[in-house]
Amino acid sequence: MFESTYTAWAIVAGLAVVWHYHIESVVPRPYLDEFFHVQQAELYLQGRFSEWHPKITTPPGLYLVSLIYLGFLSVSRIIDKVHVADLRRTNVAAAGLLPFHVWFVLHEIVARYYGFQAEDDILPSIWSMIELNHAILNICLFPPLFFFYGLYYTDVWSVLAVLTTFQFYYRKWNKPMVAAGVASLLFRQTNIFWVAIYLGASEVVRRLKRGRPEGVVTVLDVMEGSWQHSCVYNPLISQAHFEDYIKFGLSLLSVSVKEIYQLFPHLKPYFGILAAFGFFVVWNGGVVLGDKENHVASIHLAQMLYIWPYIMFFSFPLLYPYILQAFVPQKYIPPPLRSGSTRHQLPRPIVAIPVMAVMLLIVHFNTIVHPFTLADNRHYTFYVFRLLFRHPSIKYLAVPIYFLCAWAAVTGLGGLPNVQPPTDPQANVPQSGAHRGNPRQSEVRRGDRVRLPPASYSHPHMQPGHRVSTAVIWLIATALSVVTAPLVEPRYFIIPWLVWRLHMPSPWPTGEEAALKRKKRAGTLGARMKAVFYGKHDHRLWLETAWFLFVNWAVGYVFLHRGFEWPQEKGKVQRFMW
């Protein structure tokens, strides 16, 4: 099953080992928050489970994993002190497991994007296993994640636990999913929004029928049709305007209320995870475990502005075609990137102006600067915020950048701009009564006519693409996971970026392109090189690989070899990090 992933695994594991080796050579002692984590791990390795370091805010999942891992390797028993290298290798081990979990989740998402079952043989012919391997490699090389392969932080195992929960969700194994979901909360409390809210909302959408009335669709049409026929209005992202997201939300709310008794049995696993989290909050007297005075939950809406340039900075190799489409005349764009679709143009002024006005209000009234942010120049966010506050106007001038990045990130989920999607077959499917159950099996009826939802269409007539629900549910889960944090850290955006990246589609090939992907040879050496880097392969993946490798090298080099001293701590090297 995982044979095709071994290449990605070998590269990721090899780079993680090399990164760990260099850190151990230059920084053999615990650095920054590692001091707290290493001390707590030592307590657990000594069996002192009732003692807790007052500066640690996250649950003890990492230390339990270290206890099991080091005990299994017979590296540590009941000892007074453990070497930090042994603990750091816990995350190296997680890096070795990560490609297999990413493979399964990505394979399922790609299959659903194209409307196939994951086990269908047709999938590799339209999205080659080489491309799938390449995407897995890039995801595992994501710089804010890769950096912590070599340090003793919670983030790598937190990501692994969330992906394990997703894997059980796609397999429809409810009991293991609940166990994995609860286990993910042992690494980071905000995982609750991904293993319970995100997956629970996805299950609601999956269980409900999909349909839309014929002709022009108004909000009243959607509300009336949704309530009367229990069908959710859920168009393709590639064919949706801003108002379609609002219509989807109203439609989903309407149908969910009406069908609550039918939905409830399917949502029990997610309520179980929520109940376990609620029990922990009541028992603990709050969400964070330690250092509560510096981690007070607050409403920090500006976090949902910062995430967009974060995504654009790391993923511009994937998003640059949309920027070209928006700002460069068609005649100057390379033919493969041209598009006749208006969906890849910038939003209309009637949408852009109110949205940017809301962003300006958030910047003005809800910009929160945690004392740690501008007090610690070892983190890159220190320099970002120092730039934002260099002049009072700069934070407002950044709003168009937030807006442009947000538009590109959401539009990117709909597919490349050079793909002109056919008309959504759902557009002519009336909202009428249908059998309940899996949307792939349901039928939508009107009089004597019976039509199947587009998910039931077979290749090549089926309609590929993510639907509006994908973006909306991701936005909700992302907002819930970050807006309560007053502190801005790149680590907080790792899982939101990961889920977004897993849903970024590969180009939908024509019949000729699909045949090209299946060819073993491509003529001359030049033709073969062109095929490998462009024709038979999504060239954006090569750009993404190069960018991630460069960022990882630069950040790693600065961390290891460009240390500095604080005047108040002479002789102690401070290092730059995420």
Side-chain angles (χ1 to χ4, degrees):
M1 174 179 192
F2 293 117
E3 291 83 356
S4 62
T5 316
Y6 289 152
T7 302
W9 170 81
I11 296 173
V12 172
L15 290 175
V17 169
V18 171
W19 176 230
H20 173 265
Y21 169 79
H22 282 289
I23 289 181
E24 286 307 309
S25 300
V26 180
V27 194
R29 294 173 57 83
Y31 181 69
L32 213 59
D33 288 358
E34 278 191 316
F35 281 106
F36 312 138
H37 294 306
V38 169
Q39 291 172 16
Q40 187 61 45
E42 289 175 350
L43 293 175
Y44 269 57
L45 289 168
Q46 296 167 24
R48 297 156 64 182
F49 301 108
S50 61
E51 300 181 35
W52 191 256
H53 197 290
K55 289 295 183 181
I56 296 177
T57 61
T58 50
L62 180 64
Y63 322 122
L64 294 172
V65 169
S66 297
L67 181 64
I68 297 170
Y69 173 73
L70 296 179
F72 176 76
L73 295 180
S74 300
V75 172
S76 175
R77 298 180 180 84
I78 306 301
I79 57 177
D80 294 328
K81 192 174 184 65
V82 64
H83 197 284
V84 65
D86 296 330
L87 295 173
R88 286 172 173 170
R89 276 192 283 271
T90 305
N91 278 342
V92 177
L97 296 173
L98 196 60
F100 300 106
H101 291 268
V102 173
W103 180 91
F104 185 90
V105 176
L106 183 60
H107 193 260
E108 288 286 338
I109 290 173
V110 169
R112 282 161 172 73
Y113 178 85
Y114 290 122
F116 297 113
Q117 298 290 343
E119 61 272 14
D120 286 347
D121 293 334
I122 190 69
L123 181 60
S125 69
I126 60 174
W127 213 64
S128 72
M129 281 300 172
I130 296 177
E131 286 175 310
L132 195 64
N133 246 320
H134 201 162
I136 293 166
L137 172 65
N138 289 351
I139 290 171
C140 294
L141 291 179
F142 181 53
L145 181 62
F146 181 87
F147 183 84
F148 293 102
Y149 291 164
L151 295 176
Y152 194 58
Y153 277 67
T154 62
D155 302 275
V156 183
W157 278 95
S158 174
V159 167
L160 194 64
V162 170
L163 286 174
T164 301
T165 308
F166 276 41
Q167 181 175 344
F168 290 138
Y169 167 79
Y170 287 120
R171 288 182 179 272
K172 301 179 178 63
W173 294 354
N174 285 342
K175 291 182 179 179
M177 182 190 69
V178 172
V182 173
S184 74
L185 304 180
L186 294 175
F187 297 96
R188 191 171 288 279
Q189 296 92 320
T190 52
N191 288 345
I192 186 65
F193 301 115
W194 298 102
V195 300
I197 305 301
Y198 177 85
L199 292 183
S202 299
E203 182 67 8
V204 169
V205 172
R206 191 182 74 87
R207 291 284 173 180
L208 295 175
K209 299 185 301 294
R210 191 174 68 235
R212 65 191 275 187
E214 297 174 337
V216 179
V217 183
T218 66
V219 173
L220 290 179
D221 291 333
V222 170
M223 293 295 292
E224 181 181 357
S226 298
W227 181 264
Q228 182 178 356
H229 303 297
S230 299
C231 286
V232 177
Y233 177 83
N234 193 11
L236 293 165
I237 292 175
S238 60
Q239 299 178 0
H241 288 294
F242 179 81
E243 54 267 28
D244 290 312
Y245 292 84
I246 299 175
K247 293 174 184 177
F248 162 75
L250 295 173
S251 174
L252 179 64
L253 180 63
S254 174
V255 178
S256 298
V257 170
K258 182 179 179 182
E259 304 295 327
I260 185 65
Y261 293 110
Q262 286 74 26
L263 290 173
F264 183 78
H266 304 292
L267 298 180
K268 287 182 179 179
Y270 313 99
F271 286 129
I273 299 174
L274 285 170
F277 180 72
F279 175 80
F280 160 76
V281 172
V282 172
W283 170 80
N284 184 54
V287 176
V288 298
L289 285 170
D291 202 20
K292 294 182 179 181
E293 62 275 9
N294 289 317
H295 294 82
V296 179
S298 59
I299 302 300
H300 191 188
L301 298 177
Q303 295 272 30
M304 287 304 294
L305 303 181
Y306 305 144
I307 191 174
W308 304 118
Y310 177 94
I311 290 175
M312 178 60 75
F313 174 79
F314 290 111
S315 297
F316 78 87
L318 301 177
L319 298 176
Y320 86 90
Y322 306 99
I323 306 301
L324 286 179
Q325 183 66 33
F327 292 103
V328 179
Q330 288 282 322
K331 63 180 180 179
Y332 297 117
I333 299 177
L337 299 177
R338 293 177 186 172
S339 172
S341 173
T342 60
R343 299 302 192 274
H344 298 287
Q345 297 175 1
L346 288 173
R348 297 155 293 166
I350 196 173
V351 172
I353 293 173
V355 171
M356 285 196 286
V358 172
M359 289 181 170
L360 284 169
L361 290 174
I362 291 174
V363 168
H364 185 75
F365 292 105
N366 198 233
T367 296
I368 299 174
V369 182
H370 194 280
F372 289 174
T373 302
L374 294 179
D376 192 344
N377 64 347
R378 295 170 295 184
H379 295 286
Y380 292 110
T381 49
F382 169 87
Y383 301 95
V384 173
F385 274 86
R386 192 169 69 170
L387 175 63
L388 282 176
F389 291 101
R390 186 178 296 272
H391 188 276
S393 64
I394 294 179
K395 64 179 181 180
Y396 300 106
L397 295 175
V399 165
I401 297 175
Y402 299 148
F403 179 79
L404 177 64
C405 295
W407 163 79
V410 174
T411 303
L413 295 175
L416 274 174
N418 64 316
V419 178
Q420 178 65 45
T423 303
D424 185 354
Q426 180 183 302
N428 296 320
V429 177
Q431 285 191 331
S432 304
H435 296 298
R436 200 161 315 285
N438 189 320
R440 297 180 184 275
Q441 309 299 326
S442 60
E443 296 179 347
V444 181
R445 301 178 180 275
R446 182 180 183 182
D448 294 332
R449 296 192 316 178
V450 177
R451 297 191 180 185
L452 300 178
S456 298
Y457 280 64
S458 60
H459 179 73
H461 304 294
M462 35 66 69
Q463 171 64 62
H466 292 306
R467 297 191 174 268
V468 165
S469 57
T470 300
V472 171
I473 295 172
W474 175 80
L475 282 168
I476 292 173
T478 298
L480 290 173
S481 66
V482 300
V483 297
T484 58
L487 188 62
V488 180
E489 285 198 33
R491 295 185 298 141
Y492 296 168
F493 297 128
I494 288 177
I495 292 181
W497 177 90
L498 174 68
V499 176
W500 174 86
R501 179 60 183 87
L502 286 167
H503 286 85
M504 274 296 291
S506 179
W508 172 255
T510 63
E512 181 180 346
E513 290 168 339
L516 178 63
K517 286 177 180 288
R518 291 191 291 268
K519 286 185 178 180
K520 301 298 182 182
R521 304 176 64 87
T524 65
L525 177 62
R528 294 179 189 177
M529 295 292 291
K530 182 178 179 181
V532 168
F533 289 101
Y534 199 85
K536 292 181 64 175
H537 205 79
D538 185 355
H539 72 281
R540 299 176 305 159
L541 295 176
W542 293 111
L543 297 177
E544 186 181 35
T545 303
W547 177 238
F548 282 179
L549 288 175
F550 172 76
V551 172
N552 283 326
W553 170 82
V555 172
Y557 179 81
V558 169
F559 176 76
L560 295 175
H561 304 296
R562 285 293 181 265
F564 63 98
E565 292 184 3
W566 284 341
Q568 65 272 28
E569 295 186 17
K570 292 290 185 179
K572 185 176 181 180
V573 179
Q574 309 298 333
R575 302 180 184 278
F576 297 102
M577 62 183 294
W578 295 112

